[in-house]
Amino acid sequence: MATQAKKTQVSMKVNGVEVDGLVEPRTLLVHFIRENLQLTGTHIGCETTHCGACTVDIDGLSVKSCTMFAVQADGSEITTIEGIANADGTLSALQEGFRQMHGLQCGFCTPGMITRAHRLLQENPDPTEEEIRFGIAGNLCRCTGYQNIVRAIQYAAAKINGTEFQEAAE
Amino acid sequence: MIPGHFTYHRPASMADAIKLLSDLGEEARPLAGGHSLIPMMKLRLATPEHLIDLHAVEGLKGIRQEGDNIVIGAMTTQHELLASDVIASSLPILRETALLIADPQVRYRGTIGGNVANGDPGNDMPALMMTLGATYRLEGPDGVREEAAGDFYQGAYFTSLEPGEILTAVSVPAQPPGHGYAYEKLKRKIGDYATAAAAVVLTMSGGKVATCSIGLTNLSETPLLAEDAARAVIGTVLDDASLKRAAEAAITIMSPAGDGRGPVEYRKHVGGIMVERALKRAAARAA
């Protein structure tokens, strides 16, 4: 049995703010974000790397923060759902899309969905419906059946690209 | 779920990583992308006392051509494989397979080295590496050695890695222009491990199969090379009878577990179908 490991100092930039803290090596990044930083928008769902509710953006990659240790994120730049809104506090195109298209019901998966979709649209600003579905395959929603989540992301892509949002026929 | 206590190490060189792994012994594990190991640690199925994180080790990432081989650093992620032009043009089956592994978030972190070194029969890359005739570069306290993928897998989570050794690169022979390829994977849902999967690379000459190699994923404790199945189609035009013979020969060597993905008979049955589909699709792609 290992004895209690020494705590390590970590520092990172989260939503543009330099933060630091003392963590045990075994502290998962999601626990550091929720408990040390009190940013509870990032959710803990399955805890087994399936559901994507804990997705955050780390150095330009979508990561399930339940499957990375906080010590591994030392020195990185992280965006959580709390950092997604526009600088003036208004809703980002994605947040507006989820609202307009009813892209959520209970809302539990939404922070992960939006942070994942945020990266997807950075990599592919004009995705097809199929590319959206493939791109959010690591995020589970048990309410919506995904239809309105896909529409919300299409809405956001159209808004960002300055094109007209064409709602798919039922 | 919170893993047990461990001490975290982040060496900057392979020499330091190997020394740590050798000195700390059996209670130390190398950490690559962590998308197999960390979930197992959370379930307390793995309780290493030391983790040696390889992310800061110089020179473990990247894809380069070395003569007739494509050499892929062990810490290259699935996402980086998908973004590589070299892979897309010289080893398109690697791209096709990587797209069927897990989900985007996992592919950003999961590495090819971790995928092939872990010895998990559910992982997709090992059977593909056997099919392609790949070799692994293993570095340890006694130096460097190369091992054929076909000799590496000895049982579930049991490989020929010696104590203190780390898999540092995968070397894959570039496939000839005009080769056909396919990775057919049956899974219950996107992101799942295979219920059954088959990898095929082949070349055609005058409408007949000239060379062929077939690998099987998650149909035994280790990945399998279905050599009799491949022999059954060489020299044929891949008519229904030879496809059936190949599937039957492949089924003979399958010994899957009966689990949540289905009973043994079912998994063998669909394993045969994966072989037939992969052969047909590979042949259709071959020039």
Side-chain angles (χ1 to χ4, degrees):
Chain A
M1 196 71 188
T3 51
Q4 177 147 350
K6 197 171 82 200
K7 287 196 175 182
T8 309
Q9 178 84 21
V10 292
S11 56
M12 55 195 87
K13 194 183 247 185
V14 178
N15 302 328
V17 179
E18 293 288 351
V19 299
D20 53 41
L22 273 179
V23 295
E24 289 181 45
R26 66 173 179 165
T27 302
L28 297 165
L29 180 60
V30 69
H31 291 134
F32 179 75
I33 289 170
R34 288 177 54 86
E35 290 161 24
N36 294 53
L37 304 181
Q38 291 285 299
L39 294 171
T40 54
T42 302
H43 289 168
I44 299 174
C46 69
E47 297 194 72
T48 54
T49 328
H50 288 96
C51 79
C54 65
T55 300
V56 299
D57 200 81
I58 305 180
D59 295 333
L61 307 174
S62 302
V63 174
K64 295 182 180 180
S65 60
C66 80
T67 312
M68 181 169 173
F69 296 111
V71 284
Q72 295 187 281
D74 187 38
S76 63
E77 271 194 48
I78 297 179
T79 304
T80 68
I81 188 65
E82 289 89 346
I84 291 285
N86 297 325
D88 64 2
T90 57
L91 296 183
S92 72
L94 267 167
Q95 290 171 310
E96 188 184 306
F98 272 72
R99 179 173 172 170
Q100 292 298 332
M101 294 296 112
H102 306 285
L104 61 141
Q105 288 177 27
C106 86
F108 195 86
C109 73
T110 314
M113 283 288 180
I114 290 180
T115 44
R116 170 60 198 140
H118 168 75
R119 179 53 44 196
L120 172 66
L121 292 183
Q122 304 272 321
E123 291 184 353
N124 182 357
D126 191 19
T128 64
E129 179 184 339
E130 195 184 344
E131 287 166 344
I132 292 173
R133 288 180 183 275
F134 193 71
I136 61 167
N139 296 73
L140 302 183
C141 172
R142 300 287 82 159
C143 301
T144 64
Y146 302 98
Q147 292 292 102
N148 287 348
I149 291 174
V150 173
R151 285 194 190 117
I153 298 169
Q154 288 172 322
Y155 176 103
K159 175 151 187 183
I160 294 165
N161 296 332
T163 55
E164 201 183 334
F165 171 58
Q166 299 279 354
E167 200 165 346
E170 286 291 337
Chain B
M1 288 185 292
I2 296 167
H5 289 289
F6 61 89
T7 304
Y8 178 74
H9 306 268
R10 195 177 171 89
S13 72
M14 188 42 67
D16 289 348
I18 289 166
K19 184 165 190 330
L20 277 167
L21 195 57
S22 307
D23 292 350
L24 297 169
E26 281 191 358
E27 294 308 324
R29 289 283 300 268
L31 176 68
H35 277 55
S36 296
L37 183 55
I38 295 174
M40 286 180 68
M41 288 174 67
K42 290 202 285 183
L43 295 166
R44 307 281 176 125
L45 294 172
T47 52
E49 290 177 10
H50 297 271
L51 278 190
I52 300 163
D53 190 343
L54 301 178
H55 279 93
V57 173
E58 288 268 358
L60 282 184
K61 254 186 195 287
I63 299 158
R64 60 183 191 279
Q65 187 119 23
E66 270 184 19
D68 291 336
N69 293 309
I70 313 293
V71 179
I72 307 168
M75 289 296 282
T76 306
T77 64
Q78 309 290 355
H79 178 73
E80 289 161 343
L81 286 179
L82 291 173
S84 162
D85 292 337
V86 176
I87 298 296
S89 58
S90 300
L91 292 171
I93 193 171
L94 219 61
R95 182 184 162 77
E96 179 165 297
T97 304
L99 280 168
L100 296 171
I101 293 175
D103 60 49
Q105 285 95 319
V106 175
R107 292 193 293 268
Y108 283 121
R109 294 287 295 170
T111 64
I112 186 154
N115 193 295
V116 300
N118 199 32
D120 184 340
N123 283 353
D124 295 289
M125 288 295 178
L128 179 56
M129 291 302 140
M130 288 170 66
T131 307
L132 291 166
T135 52
Y136 300 155
R137 183 180 170 89
L138 312 176
E139 297 190 35
D142 300 327
V144 180
R145 64 190 179 98
E146 302 275 339
E147 174 117 315
D151 297 329
F152 185 73
Y153 300 98
Q154 301 182 346
Y157 301 100
F158 188 59
T159 68
S160 66
L161 272 173
E162 296 288 342
E165 279 187 332
I166 296 174
L167 188 152
T168 57
V170 169
S171 179
V172 189
Q175 299 300 301
H179 77 282
Y181 64 91
Y183 190 69
E184 282 287 340
K185 178 176 177 179
L186 179 73
K187 45 191 168 39
R188 296 172 300 182
K189 58 176 272 294
I190 196 160
D192 196 12
Y193 291 109
T195 300
V200 168
V201 287
L202 51 71
T203 56
M204 302 288 284
S205 176
K208 290 184 176 172
V209 179
T211 63
C212 179
S213 182
I214 303 173
L216 305 172
T217 294
N218 220 11
L219 289 164
S220 181
E221 284 208 341
T222 65
L224 298 172
L225 201 57
E227 291 170 294
D228 287 343
R231 269 193 289 274
V233 295
I234 290 174
T236 74
V237 294
L238 275 182
D239 53 297
D240 287 349
S242 47
L243 283 169
K244 194 162 180 289
R245 273 199 302 279
E248 280 166 2
I251 288 169
T252 308
I253 62 168
M254 295 174 192
S255 54
D259 61 14
R261 291 181 181 82
V264 171
E265 282 309 308
Y266 169 74
R267 294 184 68 178
K268 288 165 77 163
H269 175 72
V270 293
I273 294 172
M274 292 305 108
V275 168
E276 289 190 43
R277 285 185 188 169
L279 281 167
K280 277 196 265 194
R281 206 152 56 80
R285 273 171 168 161

